[in-house]
Amino acid sequence: MSVLSESLILHKTVKKHYLSLAKGTECQVTYVWIDKTKEHLQCKTRTLNNEPAGIRDIPEWDAFWTDGDPTEVILIPVRMFRDPFTLNPNKLVLCEVLDSKRDPIGGHQRSHCVQVMEKVKRFEPWFGMEQEYMLFGLDGKPFGWSPQGCPLTGVSCAVGINKVYGRDICICHYRACLYAGVMICGTNAEALASQWEFQVGPCEGTESGDHLWMARYILHRVCEDFGVVASLDAKPFRQSVYTSGCHTNFSTKEMRSEGGLLYIEEAIRRLSRRHSQHLCVYDPHGGADNMSRLCSQSLTSSYDEFSAASGRRNVSVRIPDHVSRRGCGYFEDRRPAANCDPYSVMRALVETYEVNYK
C-alpha cells in the first residue's frame, strides 16, 4: 500500500471523531459554484448563527478566481440542499457567480437560462439528464483495471466483480444525493468496467441544471472519501469507441399529452436544421469534445450529420419505443457531452423548439 493510500485511510478514520463533536445552533453552509472553465466546481464554507429556513436566509459572499489574473466575484445563493457529509442542519448551496457590476461572469449561463425558461413556462418544459462518468485511481489509471487493460463488457447494467468496478461509490453517491434532496432518479453501470451513470429529473426548467450540478459536486466529494477521481471527460480513452455523454430528455406539456408525438416529431425537425449550432454549446469547448466523441460508432451518432430514429441509440435524437407506442412522451437528445453545461443545453433545446415564444 502506498504512503498516499495509507494517509487517505487514516484521514477518513480520524474525521469520524470530529464530526461526532457536539455544537450549538450554528449551521455550516458550504457554497458551491462553477469555475471559469464551466466544467469544474469550487467550494468554501462559512458559519451561520442558525439553520436557514430557505435560500433567502443565506447571505451573498465573495470569492476569488485565481486562474490567470485574480478576480473578485460575488457568490449569489440560488438553491439549497442538505449536506450529506456533515449532516443536517448543515447545508450545501449552489451559487451563481457575478462580477462587481452584478453581471454573470465567465460565460455562466444560469441567469440566461432562467430568463428563457420564464418566457416559456406556459409550455412546462421538463428535462431529465443522464450523466455518465469514469472512475480513475490517483495514479491516473482506470479504477480497478489490471495492467492488461479493460475487461470490456460491451453492455450497460452488468453485474459481477469481473465486469464492474466501483459499485460502492455509485451506491454511496446515490444515497448522498437522496439525503441532500437532489432529484436523482436512477443509476446503472456503463459499458466500461469502471464507468457509471446516474440520472437526474424529470425537473421543470432551470431546476434540472441546478440538481445536476449539485449531483456532480456530491460525486466528487464522495470520490474524495474513496480516494478515486471521477472524470466527466467526453472521451476518456482516445483509442476506445466508448465515450461519456449527458443524454438529455426533453418534453413539453403538448408532447406529454395525447397526440404529443406530432409535437415531438416537429421538435426533431427543428433540431435537424440547427445541428451545428447545438453542437457548439453541447460541450464547454465549442464542439471540440464532441468532434472526437461523436464518431458514428455503435453507440454514438455522427458529428457532421443529424439523425433521428425510434428505439435506436446511434442517432443524434432518439424517440424511445414506448413513446412511439403510446403516441406521446418525450425525446432524448444524445449529443450533449458528459462535461456539458446543462444550462446551455436546456436553453438551446427550448430556443430551437419554441422559436415563436417571444
Side-chain angles (χ1 to χ4, degrees):
M1 181 180 290
S2 70
V3 174
L4 180 58
S5 298
E6 292 174 349
S7 176
L8 284 167
I9 294 172
L10 177 64
H11 168 64
K12 302 309 175 186
T13 302
V14 171
K15 187 178 74 170
K16 293 180 180 179
H17 165 72
Y18 295 99
L19 290 178
S20 68
L21 296 176
K23 65 180 184 66
T25 60
E26 299 89 357
C27 176
Q28 294 169 269
V29 177
T30 298
Y31 289 57
V32 180
W33 66 95
I34 307 161
D35 74 1
K36 283 185 178 180
T37 67
K38 297 189 291 182
E39 287 187 81
H40 306 299
L41 292 159
Q42 296 179 264
C43 71
K44 63 177 184 174
T45 305
R46 74 187 303 174
T47 302
L48 300 185
N49 291 330
N50 296 285
E51 178 182 2
I55 197 69
R56 295 180 181 276
D57 296 328
I58 301 177
E60 298 177 5
W61 206 5
D62 56 16
F64 273 98
W65 276 356
T66 55
D67 181 18
D69 294 332
T71 304
E72 186 169 348
V73 297
I74 305 170
L75 304 178
I76 308 296
V78 294
R79 195 171 298 276
M80 184 175 72
F81 300 85
R82 292 185 293 274
D83 188 336
F85 305 103
T86 59
L87 306 183
N88 231 20
N90 302 318
K91 307 298 181 188
L92 305 177
V93 57
L94 185 70
C95 299
E96 282 196 271
V97 183
L98 305 183
D99 62 19
S100 59
K101 297 180 181 178
R102 304 189 71 82
D103 293 324
I105 192 171
H108 280 216
Q109 293 296 314
R110 187 185 187 278
S111 60
H112 301 301
C113 188
V114 168
Q115 294 170 10
V116 170
M117 294 303 167
E118 180 63 24
K119 293 176 180 177
V120 301
K121 64 181 180 181
R122 67 184 183 279
F123 299 107
E124 299 176 14
W126 287 7
F127 300 90
M129 309 193 98
E130 305 172 15
Q131 177 69 69
E132 295 175 343
Y133 62 95
M134 184 80 187
L135 298 175
F136 288 86
L138 293 174
D139 57 3
K141 298 177 181 178
F143 176 70
W145 289 20
S146 71
Q148 287 72 40
C150 172
L152 279 176
T153 66
V155 295
S156 61
C157 308
V159 177
I161 189 60
N162 61 326
K163 297 179 180 178
V164 293
Y165 305 138
R167 190 180 297 276
D168 286 347
I169 296 168
C170 171
I171 291 171
C172 292
H173 172 251
Y174 198 161
R175 183 61 65 87
C177 284
L178 289 173
Y179 179 91
V182 170
M183 294 186 68
I184 187 170
C185 62
T187 187
N188 58 268
E190 278 298 329
L192 293 170
S194 48
Q195 186 182 36
W196 295 86
E197 176 187 300
F198 64 87
Q199 301 93 36
V200 168
C203 306
E204 186 168 343
T206 313
E207 185 178 25
S208 186
D210 294 347
H211 283 256
L212 182 66
W213 272 116
M214 188 53 69
R216 287 173 173 178
Y217 169 79
I218 292 172
L219 173 65
H220 292 306
R221 286 289 308 279
V222 168
C223 285
E224 285 181 17
D225 285 344
F226 280 90
V228 300
V229 177
S231 169
L232 304 187
D233 193 327
K235 185 97 171 179
F237 306 100
R238 294 294 174 255
Q239 71 276 18
S240 173
V241 299
Y242 294 98
T243 64
S244 292
C246 187
H247 306 152
T248 301
N249 302 290
F250 174 65
S251 70
T252 62
K253 65 179 180 181
E254 291 90 353
M255 296 180 193
R256 298 188 294 270
S257 303
E258 185 176 354
L261 187 59
L262 293 175
Y263 292 92
I264 292 172
E265 291 170 342
E266 174 58 26
I268 292 173
R269 280 191 289 271
R270 296 180 185 184
L271 288 171
S272 70
R273 295 193 289 266
R274 293 178 55 83
H275 180 58
S276 60
Q277 291 94 325
H278 277 252
L279 288 177
C280 286
V281 298
Y282 276 9
D283 70 54
H285 302 111
D289 295 335
N290 267 329
M291 191 174 293
S292 61
R293 170 178 165 260
L294 300 177
C295 50
S296 300
Q297 298 289 345
S298 59
L299 297 177
T300 62
S301 60
S302 167
Y303 181 87
D304 297 312
E305 297 181 5
F306 181 89
S307 57
S310 176
R312 287 175 49 198
R313 296 181 181 272
N314 59 341
V315 292
S316 306
V317 174
R318 178 179 75 99
I319 302 176
D321 275 337
H322 67 87
V323 172
S324 295
R325 292 193 300 270
R326 288 186 58 197
C328 62
Y330 63 94
F331 66 82
E332 177 192 41
D333 192 334
R334 297 178 59 81
R335 295 170 295 173
N339 58 352
C340 71
D341 173 14
Y343 304 125
S344 297
V345 172
M346 294 187 297
R347 179 183 175 186
L349 283 168
V350 164
E351 289 185 330
T352 293
Y353 176 62
E354 307 295 354
V355 291
N356 297 316
Y357 69 81
K358 295 179 182 179

